[in-house]
Amino acid sequence: MQTDKIRINNRGEGLSDVLIQSEKYSGYEGFDKKQTLHLRLMCEETVGMLKELAGEFSGLFWIEGNKDQTSLRLELQTEMDKEKRSRLLSVSSSRKNEYAKGVMGKIRDVIELALMEDDLSDNVTDYDILMMGMNNAALDPASANNPMAGYQIWSLMEYRDLIKEKKEAYEAEWDELEKSIIANLADDVRVGIRDEKVHIEIFKRF
């Protein structure tokens, strides 16, 4: 099933409809109470993150999949001109060591950078923790069914695996992962970046 695509923006339009789509999807797929709750929690985390994004953006949100595996998907595009983007990026760079708390804060930082910068790789290297989830090798463009084909990817799964390997050095980050709703519920969160477009997928196997 694929739900309706909801138009969203930085002014908060459409965000209340995200939870409505969550309920519709759960009902259509016959989710039990636990599955319904998990999907709603992931949607709530997504809404919370969108409310805190800096800058001007518009986009679409929808849910697709089946009872076995489900994806929350977002397509965002900046509505800022280069001057506004440059100004916001400058502010962001000046606080590069003052990370937002929590896993969703880090995901939000990746998305904000992608909306502010034409080439994310030029700037994300200043953020050592965020860089740990980056995969600079674009996905196979020939994968017609993959909405992120050709995108530069940041993956929560890759970030989580690297933090796990170096738990002693990144104790605080590992503690954040263990306490994070999204990190415990989702199998992966992928942020795909290309030009001024950002594609986000929150993926879960039920």
Side-chain angles (χ1 to χ4, degrees), residues 76-200:
L76 303 180
Q77 184 164 357
T78 180
E79 292 186 348
M80 296 179 284
D81 58 32
K82 286 191 177 293
E83 182 179 349
K84 286 183 180 179
R85 293 174 71 194
S86 178
R87 187 164 60 245
L88 273 173
L89 184 60
S90 176
V91 172
S92 180
S93 296
S94 70
R95 61 172 177 83
K96 62 187 178 185
N97 293 319
E98 300 174 17
Y99 295 109
K101 297 294 183 181
V103 172
M104 287 304 284
K106 290 180 172 61
I107 295 170
R108 187 189 71 223
D109 275 357
V110 174
I111 296 169
E112 283 183 352
L113 283 171
L115 290 170
M116 293 174 194
E117 181 58 87
D118 290 322
D119 185 353
L120 184 62
S121 61
D122 286 344
N123 196 61
V124 77
T125 51
D126 290 338
Y127 295 69
D128 294 339
I129 296 297
L130 299 186
M131 190 61 187
M132 294 179 72
M134 287 299 297
N135 179 356
N136 289 320
L139 296 179
D140 182 3
S143 302
N145 294 326
N146 194 328
M148 289 196 188
Y151 279 61
Q152 186 182 26
I153 301 296
W154 184 91
S155 164
L156 175 61
M157 182 174 67
E158 290 192 25
Y159 170 78
R160 182 168 48 199
D161 288 347
L162 287 168
I163 293 293
K164 187 176 182 179
E165 287 178 9
K166 303 175 182 179
K167 275 195 286 188
E168 291 184 5
Y170 295 102
E171 186 176 345
E173 287 73 26
W174 180 250
D175 187 55
E176 281 183 346
L177 283 165
E178 289 196 312
K179 294 177 180 177
S180 166
I181 292 175
I182 204 71
N184 280 287
L185 290 181
D187 290 295
D188 199 8
V189 178
R190 294 189 296 171
V191 182
I193 304 110
R194 186 173 64 194
D195 301 325
E196 297 178 2
K197 294 182 180 179
V198 183
H199 188 108
I200 303 133

Side-chain angles (χ1 to χ4, degrees), residues 26-40:
S26 295
Y28 183 88
E29 294 296 340
F31 279 3
D32 60 28
K33 288 184 178 181
K34 183 178 180 181
Q35 292 169 321
T36 299
L37 175 61
H38 285 179
L39 182 62
R40 183 180 177 88

